[in-house]
Each structure stands twice: as C-alpha cells, then as structure tokens.
Amino acid sequence: MLQTVFLLLSLAVADQAASPLKIVVVEGEAGVNIIQQKTAVKPIVEVRDRNNQPVAGVIVTFSIEGGKAATFGGSSTLTIATNAAGRAAVSSLTPNIAGTFQIQVSAAFQGQVATATIAQTNVMTAAQAAAASAATGTSGSAGSGAGGGGGAGG
C-alpha cells in the first residue's frame, strides 16, 4: 500500500514537472460570430502555473487555423502578453467566411510552452447565430465577448 501511494505521488510530481504551464480558456469556446454585423466572441485565456496561479507577462499567440475564416485586425495571428491577472484578451476578431474554424493558442514563459484550441463558428446573420446557439445549447449572445474578462471561468 505504501509503495502504491509513493508511486502515485511520484507520478503526480513528474506530471507537474512535465507541464507546469497551462492555458485555461475563459471566453470564446463555441462562440458564434455574425459576419453581417462583424461581431465576434473574442477569446480570453488565462495562463496558470503548476500551482494553478495566474502568471503575468506570458507571451500568448493566437492563430486562426484554416485560412481566412476570421482575422485579428486583418492578420491571421495576434501576439500579446498576459496582464497582472494572467489573462490575454483578443481585442479584435473579425469573422469573414461562414463555417467552423479553430483558434490555436500558444503561451511561452521561461522556456515553458502550453497550447490550447478554441473552436468557433461564423454565420451570416443574427437569425443563423440564434439557431446555432440553440442547437449547441450555449447561452449568451453572439459577439458579447468584448469586456475585460471579469468573473467568468476561474
């Protein structure tokens, strides 16, 4: 029994050492964006250390996968640093082409790297956005992801 406990503790410590940095998606997952209105659910992520504490000053890169589905102010990538609360918020996301797409997120800090993927859907009209939200069971309105990221998901 004692050997089993020791082995489990050893594995837990090894796992923490292997991936001390992690990305938590606070906002943007399953977002439905409206092309016609140029509104989008802007991703917000929080980078945490091995003790699950937010880390400030982490370089975070957001990349649109799959071409021209959306852009960050005309670019397919956006790189920003996390704030004092360990959060990085996309300020500009413009939907261009209807369909699903993914945003790859990468965080790098002191030689450590973490990754995450955020899935979103672009639709042409608000009516299609309402139908898509109802079909996936998500709450909230499309394009409401702008804010400073207070209170959600932590």
Side-chain angles (χ1 to χ4, degrees):
M1 176 71 173
L2 185 57
Q3 289 176 333
T4 303
V5 170
F6 179 73
L7 178 62
L8 290 174
L9 287 174
S10 297
L11 290 173
V13 169
D15 184 49
Q16 278 187 339
S19 58
L21 202 63
K22 71 178 178 178
I23 297 171
V24 176
V25 178
V26 175
E27 206 165 302
E29 179 61 34
V32 178
N33 309 317
I34 306 170
I35 296 168
Q36 195 175 58
Q37 297 177 354
K38 296 197 180 302
T39 59
V41 180
K42 296 170 182 75
I44 299 172
V45 299
E46 186 172 289
V47 180
R48 297 182 185 170
D49 64 14
R50 76 177 87 237
N51 298 314
N52 209 32
Q53 297 299 308
V55 184
V58 177
I59 301 301
V60 178
T61 301
F62 297 86
S63 301
I64 304 291
E65 192 173 278
K68 301 173 178 141
T71 60
F72 304 109
S75 177
S76 62
T77 62
L78 174 68
T79 301
I80 53 179
T82 57
N83 62 17
R87 291 190 174 188
V90 171
S91 59
S92 172
L93 178 64
T94 305
N96 296 320
I97 299 171
T100 59
F101 68 100
Q102 293 184 333
I103 302 169
Q104 298 298 323
V105 186
S106 174
F109 187 71
Q110 296 180 346
Q112 305 165 37
V113 177
T115 59
T117 302
I118 300 171
Q120 293 195 351
T121 302
N122 292 341
V123 297
M124 288 302 296
T125 66
Q128 290 172 330
S133 291
T136 60
T138 57
S139 61
S141 60
S144 64

